[in-house]
Amino acid sequence: MTDDYVAQRYVHLRRAAFLMCGDWERAGEVARDTLARALTDPDVGDLDLWAYGDLMAAFKPSHGRREHVFVAPPEPAAQGEADVDAALGDVYTVLVLDALRRLSPKCRAVVVLHHFCHLSVNDTAEVLGIDGGKVTEYEAEGLTAFDDLMRITRPAVAR
């Protein structure tokens, strides 16, 4: 694995981790840990699918541990920024993160992998260890939740 690959994949893995947990610091740690394991695991086949699978495993809920997800804009806004489009973009970012937070962890993983990471249904199923039919079910649940949230909040955003 080359340094270029690590640098390029880190950005994508960190973004996927952020969408799963809503915390840039934790997302960076999980992405770095995933890449470190990829460097030392001799049985990595498709490196991208392996990396996404390893990353998603970090977000599997464990019994007795309460999931903590908070919503924050993905990047801090520039000081003094008065751009209305940027402000609306931040509002929509928070809405998307809030919708993701409301999904079950497995549903959130499907939506993140399939829609934000652009993995196929089959690749998403392979990464998560479920069949393609379940991916489709979780995807439908997630998209319905997004649609409901956006419909409910649209009047407030349009003001």
Side-chain angles (χ1 to χ4, degrees):
M1 183 176 347
T2 67
D3 290 343
D4 289 340
Y5 179 84
V6 170
Q8 180 212 24
R9 294 318 300 159
Y10 173 75
V11 172
H12 297 283
L13 292 170
R14 180 176 174 246
R15 186 175 342 166
F18 175 75
L19 291 169
M20 291 299 293
C21 70
D23 179 347
W24 279 113
E25 187 173 323
R26 180 171 181 222
E29 290 172 13
V30 170
R32 282 189 299 276
D33 290 347
T34 289
L35 288 168
R37 280 188 291 279
L39 287 169
T40 59
D41 190 331
D43 295 327
V44 174
D46 182 324
L47 189 54
D48 286 336
L49 292 183
W50 184 95
Y52 281 121
D54 186 79
L55 184 90
M56 290 300 152
F59 298 104
K60 285 185 179 174
S62 61
H63 295 358
R65 185 176 144 225
R66 188 175 169 166
E67 182 184 29
H68 174 71
V69 176
F70 67 89
V71 177
E75 298 291 341
Q79 293 293 335
E81 182 174 295
D83 186 358
V84 173
D85 289 337
L88 269 180
D90 286 347
V91 168
Y92 283 112
T93 298
V94 170
L95 291 175
V96 167
L97 292 171
D98 187 50
L100 285 169
R101 180 190 60 81
R102 294 170 191 247
L103 299 176
S104 69
K106 191 72 83 169
C107 184
R108 184 179 325 130
V110 165
V111 171
V112 168
L113 290 171
H114 188 56
H115 288 278
F116 291 96
C117 299
H118 308 292
L119 269 60
S120 69
V121 169
N122 290 337
D123 287 346
T124 299
E126 183 179 331
V127 165
L128 297 175
I130 59 178
D131 81 21
K134 280 305 228 183
V135 169
T136 304
E137 286 177 33
Y138 287 128
E139 177 185 25
E141 178 186 331
L143 294 178
T144 298
F146 274 115
D147 187 51
D148 292 346
L149 182 63
M150 295 308 281
R151 191 174 345 97
I152 290 167
T153 58
R154 190 167 291 131
V157 172
R159 287 184 195 160

